[in-house]
Amino acid sequence: MHILFQINALLRFLLEMITLIALAFVGFTKYTLPLNLLMGILVPIVIYVIWSICMAPLSPNRVGLLLRVTIEIIIFGLCSYMIITKISLRVGTVYGVIVALNAIMAHIGEGIYGSSLSIAPE
């Protein structure tokens, strides 16, 4: 069962990168000139900084579970909303469902195995 949570942790990292790429893509392609720079550059950078300070498993400033879940809902919900409104309802819905299932698995794995799942065997 431990390997399932490790695979989920890898998928979670990929989803975080996809989120930043999707936000930048939607920002650059679906907005006009002054707003596209804000949405395509500034929003992904702000989300990256928030994630690295508050959410990263080895961050010394990692926030509690309830605040982490709230930040995840805001970040992933924003990305899902932008995909739904600017690209496609189906793509945004699939993204939202995958992120939600991944988050549930990640928090279950964190509760069982601790805050960081290592790749090395124990």
Side-chain angles (χ1 to χ4, degrees), residues 3-37:
I3 189 75
L4 178 66
F5 292 113
Q6 288 178 338
I7 292 170
N8 190 62
L10 176 63
L11 178 62
R12 184 161 183 84
F13 175 74
L14 293 175
L15 284 172
E16 293 164 8
M17 294 301 108
I18 289 169
T19 299
L20 293 175
I21 292 168
L23 287 171
F25 174 77
V26 170
F28 282 130
T29 60
K30 303 299 179 178
Y31 290 94
T32 57
L33 184 57
L35 196 55
N36 71 345
L37 295 176

Side-chain angles (χ1 to χ4, degrees), residues 7 13 50 65-66 74 83 87 90:
I7 292 170
F13 175 74
I50 290 170
L65 178 64
L66 185 59
I74 291 169
I83 292 172
I87 297 178
R90 287 185 184 154

Side-chain angles (χ1 to χ4, degrees), residues 54-111:
C54 301
M55 307 285 292
L58 298 177
S59 172
N61 302 322
R62 191 170 194 205
V63 297
L65 178 64
L66 185 59
L67 190 54
R68 278 197 324 266
V69 169
T70 304
I71 292 171
E72 287 176 11
I73 290 171
I74 291 169
I75 290 173
F76 292 129
L78 169 73
C79 187
S80 184
Y81 174 75
M82 286 180 67
I83 292 172
I84 287 171
T85 58
K86 300 293 183 181
I87 297 178
S88 166
L89 176 64
R90 287 185 184 154
V91 173
T93 303
V94 168
Y95 168 82
V97 168
I98 290 172
V99 165
L101 293 174
N102 179 270
I104 291 168
M105 284 290 295
H107 291 297
I108 290 172
E110 183 177 316

